[in-house]
C-alpha cells in the first residue's frame, strides 16, 4: 500500500541536498516494492549532483546510482523476483538514497542474498567496470601484467582482486600519504604484486619492477595529467591505456613518439555506455560472474564505513576528502 518514503533529493545548480518525505506509488502489475538496505556514495554520484556527469536526471531527483534492496511485494505480472529477494539497479539514475520505493521489474536485477551486504551494495558499478576493462581491451593471459593508478579507489581494489583471480599481475600506483605503509599492506592483502607511489613511478628504479615480470600491455587510468603520461611510458609496445576517470581534472597527454614508435592505443570506458551496447541478460551474466567470485572468496567489497541515511551530509563531506581509503555507505 502507498506510504511515506524518506529520500535524498538533489538540486544540481544549487548543490542542494535534503531529506524529504514522499508518497510511495501503488504497486502495479509489473512493479516491485523495494525496501532499500544500503547504498554507497560514489564519485559519479557527486559528479551527477554537481551537474558534470554524462548522465543527468530531471530535477528534483533522488540521489544514488547504486545500492541493494529487499523485495517487499510484487505486482501480478512480475516473474523474476519475489518478496524477500535482494535486488540491485539494472541502470544508473535509479535513485537509491532512500528507504523504499516502487520500481518497474525491468529496472532491477536479482542478486543472491547470501553475499555480504556491503558486497551487494557496491556490486553494480566498480567491480563491473574493473571486470570489463580487464576483459575487453587486451587479450591477457595468466602471467601478464596490468598497471593502474588510483589503485586504492573502489575500481582499483576490484581490479586487484579480479586480476588476481584471472592469474594477472598488477602494478598499483597510489598517491603518497601519511598512512602509505598501511595502505600498501591492505592492497597487497587483496592480491596486489607491486604498490608504488606516483613519485616512484617516475624514477629509473621502475626498471627493476620489470626484471621478473613482463611490461604491461594494459594500463587503467582514473587520474589523467602527469599520472596518465607515466602509465603510458611503462606500457609495452602495442599496449592500450583505458581511461575511465579524471580525478586530476587534467587532460591525458601522449607524446608523438609513444603513438608512432610504440603504437600505443588510447581508449575510454563508461559502464553506462557498455550497458547501452549490450543486452540486460549480458549485464545480468556479468553480475552473476562477479557474485561467483564473491562466493569463492576472490572478490570482497572495498573498505567501507556505514553511515545512517539521516547523516548523509556528513557522509557526503567525508566522501569528498582527499586520500580517502574507505567508501561511505548509507544504511537505511
Amino acid at each position: 500500500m502507498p506510504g511515506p518514503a524518506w529520500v535524498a533529493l538533489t538540486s544540481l545548480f544549487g548543490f542542494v541536498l535534503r531529506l524529504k518525505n514522499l508518497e510511495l506509488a501503488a504497486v502495479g502489475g509489473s512493479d516491485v516494492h523495494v525496501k532499500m538496505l544500503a547504498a554507497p556514495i560514489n564519485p559519479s554520484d557527486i559528479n551527477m549532483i554537481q551537474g558534470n556527469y554524462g548522465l543527468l536526471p530531471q530535477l528534483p531527483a533522488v540521489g544514488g546510482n547504486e545500492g541493494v534492496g529487499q523485495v517487499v511485494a510484487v505486482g501480478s505480472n512480475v516473474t523474476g523476483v519475489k518478496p524477500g529477494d535482494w535486488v540491485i539497479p539494472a541502470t544508473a539514475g535509479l535513485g537509491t538514497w532512500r528507504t523504499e520505493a516502487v520500481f518497474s521489474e525491468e529496472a532491477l536485477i536479482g542478486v543472491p542474498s547470501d553475499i555480504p551486504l556491503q558486497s551487494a551494495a557496491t556490486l553494480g558499478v566498480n567491480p563491473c567496470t574493473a571486470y570489463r576493462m580487464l576483459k575487453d581491451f587486451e587479450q591477457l593471459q595468466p602471467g601478464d601484467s596490468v598497471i593502474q593508478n588510483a589503485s586504492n579507489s573502489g575500481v582499483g581494489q576490484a581490479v586487484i582482486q579480479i586480476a588476481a583471480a584471472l592469474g594477472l599481475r598488477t602494478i598499483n600506483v597510489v598517491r603518497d600519504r601519511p598512512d602509505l605503509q598501511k595502505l600498501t599492506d591492505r592492497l597487497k592483502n587483496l592480491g596486489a604484486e607491486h604498490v608504488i607511489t606516483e613519485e616512484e613511478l617516475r624514477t629509473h628504479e621502475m626498471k627493476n619492477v620489470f626484471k621478473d615480470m613482463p611490461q604491461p600491455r594494459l594500463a587503467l587510468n582514473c587520474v589523467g595529467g602527469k599520472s596518465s603520461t607515466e602509465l603510458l611510458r611503462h606500457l609495452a609496445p602495442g599496449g592500450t591505456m583505458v581511461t575511465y576517470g579524471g580525478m586530476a581534472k587534467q587532460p591525458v597527454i601522449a607524446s608523438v613518439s609513444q603513438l608512432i614508435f610504440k603504437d600505443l592505443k588510447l581508449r575510454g570506458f563508461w559502464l553506462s555506455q557498455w550497458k547501452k551496447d549490450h543486452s540486460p541478460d549480458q549485464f545480468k551474466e556479468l553480475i552473476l560472474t562477479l557474485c561467483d567470485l564473491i562466493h569463492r572468496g576472490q572478490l570482497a567489497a572495498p573498505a567501507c564505513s556505514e553511515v545512517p541515511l539521516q547523516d548523509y551530509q556528513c557522509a557526503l563531506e567525508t566522501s569528498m576528502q582527499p586520500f580517502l581509503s574507505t567508501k561511505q555507505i548509507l544504511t537505511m
Side-chain angles (χ1 to χ4, degrees), residues 251-266:
V252 171
I253 299 175
S255 72
V256 171
S257 63
Q258 289 173 332
L259 297 178
I260 295 177
F261 303 124
K262 292 183 69 176
D263 190 26
L264 300 183
K265 298 178 286 290
L266 304 181

Side-chain angles (χ1 to χ4, degrees), residues 5-27:
W6 283 97
V7 302
L9 287 179
T10 71
S11 171
L12 303 183
F13 299 108
F15 203 155
V16 174
L17 292 162
R18 68 182 185 272
L19 286 175
K20 187 175 176 63
N21 196 13
L22 297 181
E23 286 295 316
L24 277 177
V27 178

Side-chain angles (χ1 to χ4, degrees), residues 50-51 56 80 149 184 204-205 210 212-213 233 242 258 314:
Q50 293 171 331
L56 299 177
N149 55 24
T184 298
H204 292 296
E205 282 67 32
F210 300 114
D212 64 344
M213 69 189 305
R233 191 162 67 88
V242 183
Q258 289 173 332
C314 179

Side-chain angles (χ1 to χ4, degrees), residues 119-285:
S119 293
T122 58
L123 179 61
V125 176
N126 292 340
C128 293
T129 297
Y131 188 89
R132 292 269 54 102
M133 291 193 301
L134 288 170
K135 282 288 192 176
D136 293 351
F137 295 92
E138 289 285 341
Q139 300 301 309
L140 302 176
Q141 302 298 324
D144 287 344
S145 67
V146 177
I147 189 169
Q148 65 166 341
N149 55 24
S151 303
N152 61 308
S153 67
V155 172
Q157 293 178 59
V159 164
I160 291 170
Q161 296 176 83
I162 296 170
L166 296 173
L168 305 174
R169 306 164 74 178
T170 55
I171 305 162
N172 301 279
V173 185
V174 298
R175 288 182 294 173
D176 197 5
R177 64 195 65 213
D179 62 344
L180 179 62
Q181 189 57 53
K182 181 180 178 181
L183 174 62
T184 298
D185 293 342
R186 183 155 63 82
L187 296 183
K188 287 192 173 183
N189 285 336
L190 293 178
E193 183 157 349
H194 295 283
V195 180
I196 60 176
T197 65
E198 295 278 2
E199 291 74 21
E200 290 171 332
L201 185 64
R202 301 186 182 104
T203 66
H204 292 296
E205 282 67 32
M206 273 299 296
K207 62 184 180 182
N208 296 326
V209 171
F210 300 114
K211 285 183 176 179
D212 64 344
M213 69 189 305
Q215 273 191 293
R217 299 210 325 272
L218 178 66
L220 305 178
N221 168 47
C222 185
V223 180
K226 292 181 179 179
S227 179
S228 57
T229 302
E230 289 299 320
L231 291 188
L232 284 170
R233 191 162 67 88
H234 294 292
L235 266 184
T240 302
M241 183 173 78
V242 183
T243 294
Y244 66 97
M247 292 169 53
K249 295 182 171 61
Q250 296 173 353
V252 171
I253 299 175
S255 72
V256 171
S257 63
Q258 289 173 332
L259 297 178
I260 295 177
F261 303 124
K262 292 183 69 176
D263 190 26
L264 300 183
K265 298 178 286 290
L266 304 181
R267 300 290 303 275
F269 182 81
W270 185 30
L271 183 63
S272 294
Q273 186 61 51
W274 185 91
K275 290 181 184 179
K276 291 178 183 178
D277 296 337
H278 295 78
S279 69
D281 285 342
Q282 287 174 302
F283 182 54
K284 185 170 184 177
E285 181 182 356

